[in-house]
Amino acid sequence: MKFFTVLPTLAVAMLGALHAVVAQDSYAVISSIQTVTTVSVNLQVVVQETTPANIFIQVPKIIGGFKDIVATVTHLTGTVIVVPNPKPFSDEVAVAVVEQLRNFVAAHQALLNTLIGKHSLLAKFGPTAPLAFVLRSLESVVDTFAYAIISLIPTRHDEGVKQINELDISLTAAVETYES
């Protein structure tokens, strides 16, 4: 009878352990990076297609898209940092992770550059403060996500940091553009 009273606690502990295993799974980490990259690429298309004729339809989609990226990255960061003392990935896996980080950075830079290019249009017809706000939020969660991943690839640490530093430059430019 006591077994059934302890069962929920055991189930939570087992799921927590499984969650930790998933966080240490290189496939899960690479897949997480790919997920955020895909969301960013899709949002870049929305931003690119923004015109004076559709701006009032597009702006909520753009802000919502950035909020989705922030929520997705926040969730994925939780799956990566759940392990207290993570076991680093092999160099072979680290190379694959860095490649995905490059794709991630390239997608975000394209998105941010497109958004910067649309600044005059967006500023003319809509408020830029909400975009500046979501960009600042994005900057914070992306850094946390990236450094959690970089902690798993010590053999490629410098390459990972280089990618994130490049992204930070683009994020800073976008935030400054939309705060002005």
Side-chain angles (χ1 to χ4, degrees), residues 19-32 83 89 93 152:
H19 188 59
V21 170
V22 169
Q24 282 291 276
D25 180 352
S26 60
Y27 176 78
V29 170
I30 289 170
S31 179
S32 295
V83 180
F89 294 146
V93 171
L152 298 171

Side-chain angles (χ1 to χ4, degrees), residues 55 119-126 128:
I55 193 164
H119 178 261
S120 61
L121 173 66
L122 293 169
K124 185 176 181 180
F125 290 101
T128 58

Side-chain angles (χ1 to χ4, degrees), residues 14-118:
M14 289 171 58
L15 286 174
L18 180 61
H19 188 59
V21 170
V22 169
Q24 282 291 276
D25 180 352
S26 60
Y27 176 78
V29 170
I30 289 170
S31 179
S32 295
I33 299 168
Q34 290 170 334
T35 297
V36 178
T37 301
T38 300
V39 173
S40 299
V41 168
N42 293 339
L43 181 56
Q44 195 260 343
V45 171
V46 172
V47 174
Q48 184 63 45
E49 293 175 347
T50 302
T51 66
N54 68 9
I55 193 164
F56 296 109
I57 295 168
Q58 296 295 87
V59 168
K61 290 180 186 178
I62 294 168
I63 293 170
F66 276 110
K67 286 180 179 179
D68 288 346
I69 292 171
V70 169
T72 301
V73 170
T74 300
H75 170 74
L76 294 173
T77 301
T79 64
V80 172
I81 64 173
V82 73
V83 180
N85 295 310
K87 179 182 173 201
F89 294 146
S90 69
D91 187 56
E92 181 181 327
V93 171
V95 168
V97 170
V98 168
E99 182 60 31
Q100 291 308 312
L101 280 174
R102 279 190 195 101
N103 295 340
F104 170 82
V105 169
H108 273 78
Q109 286 177 320
L111 169 59
L112 294 168
N113 288 336
T114 303
L115 188 66
I116 289 169
K118 294 288 183 172

